[in-house]
Amino acid sequence: MTTHGISVTVNGEQHDLTVRPRTLLVTALREELGYTGANVGCETGRCGACTVRENGETIKSCTRLAVQADGSEIETVEGLADDGDLSALQKQFQEQHGLQCGYCTPGMLMSADTFLREADDPSREEIREAIEGNLCRCTGYQNIVDAIEAAAEQSGEHR
Amino acid sequence: MSDADSSGESGADSGGAFGSAIERGEDVPLLTGSGDYTDDISLRGTTHLAIRRSDHAHARIERIDTSDAAAMDGVVAVYTGEDVVESGVPNTIPTAWDLPGLVQPQYRMLATDKVRHEGTAVAAVVAETPHVAHDALERIAVEYEPLEHVTDPVEAVERDVPPVHEEAADNVAFDFELGEEEATDEAFADADRVATVDLRQPRIIPNAMEPRAALADWEDATGKLRLWMTSQNPHLHRMLLSAGTLGLPENKIQVIAPEVGGGFGSKIYHYPDEAVTAWCSMQLGRPVKWQATRSESYLTDCHGRDHVTTGEIALDDDGTIRGVRVETHAGLGAQLSQFGTATPSYLYATVLSGQYAIPAIHCRVVGAFTNTTPVDAYRGAGRAEGIYVIERLVDAGARELEMDPAELRRRNLVPPDEFPYESAAALVYDSGEYERAMDLALEHVDYDDLRERQRELRDEDRYIGIGIGNFVESAGLSPSGLAGDLGAQAGGWESSIVRFDSTGSVTVLAGTADQGQGHRTTYAQIAAEELGVSVDDVDVVEGDTDRIPQGMGTYGSRSASVGGGSIARGAREVREKARRIAAHQLEASVDDIEFEDGEFRVAGAPDRSLHIQTIAHEAYLGHDLPEGMDPGLEETNFYDPENFTYPFGTHVAVVEVDPETGDIEIRRYVAVDDCGEIINPMIVEGQVHGGIAQGIGAALYEGAAYDDDEHLQTRRMDEYAVPHSTQLPDFETDSTVTPSPHNPLGVKGVGESATIAATPTIVSAVADALEPFGVDHLDMPITPESVWRATEGDR
Ligand code: FES
Ligand code: FES
């Protein structure tokens, strides 16, 4: 069986690993490297539970092959907290009750976090559009939107 | 706060933990990716299971050749149904609810003779990696002789088709009746008017974001099975797996439900897959993991609903409802799932009275086998289907009488002084102030003004609709004796242990199991309140049958009322024991000891006091306890409620429908819920939001479909429409509080309410908008296309 040696940086830490050509990035992250924060909900790019960041852009890691990620910088939910302190966004998810079972949450946080890097004072509609590719079956989204809105306001205050 | 418990004053009165919007402690691991779902867990030497499933809806299995698959590199073993039979295990997936005359066909882990629905498990591959296991599935050759199939519950019994099971030649699993037929006929004969609805409640697929999964570890040396699985009720799974399926005593099975990514009913049931995972581990003596793909979930997670119904309502000209008559064909799928028989019978027919005083009700349900995925309880189970029928009937009655639908509802509500109210559909409602909740909901939308506005807009060719959904729900299935009389094969009690340790911290071990409802926080609030300690001093443990000896799990909105009720009672017993120790050490009589904020004080001598956490320490020192008292400070409680609880409320939706495009926009959604006492308002609101989302999903987007070849068409997330963020509005929520006298905490439960309410509310709103087009009902899911077609003639 052919295999490839690849090298990826995950949350600032570099890993060398050997993968088969078909190994998905999410599988490599979860099974080879132990980053189980990214969840698998659909394997077809629809649900967003597996969303991570690759070189600063969100991707659905179930639609990416591990070999394609060779040399790239990956960020996962495990890297969002700062020295064990929840990020402002994570804190808002807790305060606004933006999660129930938490299965969609890692992907939701990665999408929201990336969105907030660009968004300046987003409207609720813009927030809803930003997370459209992340399905949540538990919350009805309203509290998630509240959380993202509150985090945006906070970062606006800091600017 | 009511206090139905006789063991002492309710600590919940003092204000504090109970009733506060405390943030969830369980969130932190979920927010950082450190919480473990089943698939996140691996043991050394784990092998991987993949299941070969039938792509036929109905076929005889002629031959299965596994040799190619077995010869593949990395394949550890391949098994068929014959191998399971030969292993001598009982090999039954049992139903948990019997009904009079019920036909109960065999349900095996892997099929041996026939496949009866697409997705039936026929063979199992265990391999060193999941990839190899899935690749090997393709190399299994199965020869089938296809048989004619049927997916519609009416056709199944009325058309001449080869039966799904030989035992039920007409595909009838049960023929169920509730209520008084004769009295109902008389009511209809006497009434001024009759209105009728013909409706379908399509199959919906739960779509918990986490697909089902299991990791089994059989240890030969001890003869013990450890099974991690996506379970809403690990103890029930332990029970059903033990004697019925694997032939192991319960004490040789440990079922662990780690983080569970949503369930909504789908993770209650005992499916073949998790049992096969366990059986494979028993064969191999190695850990075996199975993780469903999303398309496997669509094919195998129990679907919900699937009703075809004719309902009639008899009314007098003044709006008095005289009677209701309902006939339903309920699709059960190809096998009887756990509560698959209870859901369309007792859980459905018994709520047909809704919030109304209806003197005569008769309901008949024909439960039909079809060549489809088994149907079982999905959020709102049975109650959602029943309330949908009565609310659609009330709307139909209002049209028949040309009466405002709010007014017709108001005239028939059970008044507050009639509780406990015994309905003609065999339930005794505990408490309710229906009109108050309805008024509040109508106030939120300025109902009268809104009707006025609706008329004005119609003149401008704009169509808004107002939908009202009044619901009452039977929650917290119980008591065990009654459940047993009705056919349940398990009890309706709940069990917990409340334990102080010597440092004064508290552990609550609860028999329910969380899938996102926030039990760890709400249970800690209950215990903290009763014991006068801080929420941070309480640790809650759930979901592990070896740590928590007994339990029944989480479904049917039972956790707060039955689970929480058990914890409250256990905590009160602990408090009473502590009180006796305090009395002894303070040299006072027990009757003179007052308890407040964790402190036991001698009445009239406030400086003589001991904190409950100090008493905990003393209880474990054991040096100075009352004569004859055993050391330690913990209690095990079994709580069997005296009755169901009955949450209720009114939801109102305002929609605008564009008949040209069929587009439906939800402009307002107001939910007024009464779930009795509220333990944590933030969590209650979260449950309401999620419930509305799933109700709106069912009303407008979701629905399983079978194509002409009887294949499931909706088997991927791009084919089955789970609502996404831009499809749902912000919801406006409010509440009234009518404590339940049937429960030690006065709580009623809330997990399913909003799903039950939202479907009739939305459908009613759309139908109301389309009244000028002569449309009085549209079946779910109401799509732009169905709106467009319904209004076509009038455009
Ligand atoms: S698992 Fe990747 S989008 Fe669903
Ligand atoms: S919190 Fe459960 S799926 Fe989003």
Side-chain angles (χ1 to χ4, degrees), chain A residues 39-50 60 62:
Chain A
N39 289 318
V40 179
C42 71
E43 321 108 30
T44 51
R46 294 301 284 203
C47 76
C50 66
K60 294 185 171 165
C62 72

Side-chain angles (χ1 to χ4, degrees), chain B residues 156-283:
Chain B
V157 297
E158 285 178 4
R159 205 177 82 195
D160 188 24
V161 284
V164 180
H165 297 278
E166 278 74 19
E167 301 93 310
D170 50 2
N171 282 326
V172 173
F174 64 80
D175 195 335
F176 172 88
E177 265 187 272
L178 190 108
E180 307 270 346
E181 189 170 15
E182 246 173 69
T184 308
D185 288 348
E186 279 167 28
F188 271 78
D190 292 348
D192 297 332
R193 313 272 191 105
V194 172
T196 306
V197 293
D198 284 304
L199 53 88
R200 251 170 199 275
Q201 303 192 59
R203 285 171 169 258
I204 39 187
I205 304 181
N207 270 293
M209 290 307 299
E210 177 204 29
R212 282 187 294 124
L215 168 63
D217 185 21
W218 169 260
E219 198 182 71
D220 264 330
T222 54
K224 181 147 181 175
L225 174 72
R226 275 197 303 166
L227 181 63
W228 287 260
M229 62 184 283
T230 48
S231 172
Q232 297 183 216
N233 29 240
H235 296 88
L236 217 56
H237 276 124
R238 179 179 69 178
M239 182 177 103
L240 295 167
L241 270 167
S242 102
T245 314
L246 298 176
L248 295 168
E250 284 196 13
N251 66 2
K252 291 296 184 191
I253 302 179
Q254 177 184 12
V255 179
I256 306 158
E259 301 290 358
V260 176
F264 319 114
S266 67
K267 292 170 183 168
I268 302 173
Y269 317 117
H270 182 33
Y271 295 89
D273 315 299
E274 292 85 347
V276 170
T277 311
W279 180 84
C280 286
S281 180
M282 290 168 73
Q283 303 307 300

Side-chain angles (χ1 to χ4, degrees), chain A residues 24 26 38-51 59-64 103 133-135, chain B residues 209 294 717:
Chain A
L24 298 173
V26 68
N39 289 318
V40 179
C42 71
E43 321 108 30
T44 51
R46 294 301 284 203
C47 76
C50 66
T51 307
I59 55 154
K60 294 185 171 165
S61 58
C62 72
T63 58
R64 190 70 116 236
Y103 202 75
N134 292 78
L135 296 176
Chain B
M209 290 307 299
R294 178 57 58 182
M717 269 194 169

